[in-house]
Amino acid sequence: MLISEYLQLRNNISVTTGNVSPGSFKDNAPKVNENGATFAEELERANRLAASKVQFSKHAIERLDNRDIDITEGDMLGRLNKAVELAESKGSNDALVIVDSAAFLVSVKNNKVITAMNTGEMTGSCFTNIDSTVIM
């Protein structure tokens, strides 16, 4: 078969994809996620976290979601960043940072939040393998 014959044959093949109207997916799309947040709100939250100097481990992000800790509320994220900078300036490697009603275990040398917990989970807990505590 010549290339010209192949191209002519290829152009004559019709492809059907089914009966999907352009707006059908949009109508079925959820307006909010399981937490009640719109896509725009989740995008803004993700952008704030990405712009933060402190990064979050996958485990920490799961804990924030599971424990209903909204790090973007108020100035919590900014205060967390300041606390990590303070711990770093004092030579800390691993710190417990308490901001409002949330506690964060932070690897200061890696600039990463390892896990997070709320007030209820802090009560009666023993924090080990930390060399500093910062209360904001």
Side-chain angles (χ1 to χ4, degrees):
M1 175 182 291
L2 298 173
I3 189 75
S4 59
E5 292 172 334
Y6 167 75
L7 291 174
Q8 184 179 14
L9 179 63
R10 187 182 73 175
N11 291 335
N12 291 332
I13 298 173
S14 64
V15 176
T16 57
T17 59
N19 298 326
V20 178
S21 63
S24 64
F25 292 114
K26 182 179 177 184
D27 296 336
N28 294 332
K31 304 294 184 236
V32 295
N33 66 8
E34 62 276 357
N35 297 327
T38 65
F39 176 77
E41 291 168 341
E42 283 297 318
L43 183 61
E44 180 181 340
R45 178 176 183 244
N47 285 337
R48 279 193 203 172
L49 290 176
S52 170
K53 180 180 176 193
V54 175
Q55 300 302 308
F56 292 81
S57 69
K58 182 179 178 183
H59 175 79
I61 292 171
E62 288 173 2
R63 294 297 173 259
L64 290 172
D65 288 338
N66 293 343
R67 295 169 175 165
D68 294 324
I69 300 170
D70 186 3
I71 192 76
T72 60
E73 184 177 291
D75 192 28
M76 187 181 284
L77 187 58
R79 292 168 52 210
L80 176 62
N81 279 305
K82 287 178 187 175
V84 173
E85 288 175 10
L86 177 62
E88 184 179 31
S89 72
K90 300 292 183 181
S92 176
N93 288 318
D94 297 295
L96 171 66
V97 177
I98 300 173
V99 181
D100 298 334
S101 61
F104 304 92
L105 290 174
V106 181
S107 171
V108 177
K109 62 183 178 186
N110 296 324
N111 205 31
K112 186 171 277 194
V113 175
I114 305 304
T115 193
M117 60 192 70
N118 56 30
T119 307
E121 293 157 337
M122 285 188 278
T123 305
S125 295
C126 177
F127 299 97
T128 60
N129 297 326
I130 61 170
D131 57 18
S132 60
T133 302
V134 182
I135 301 171
M136 294 298 282

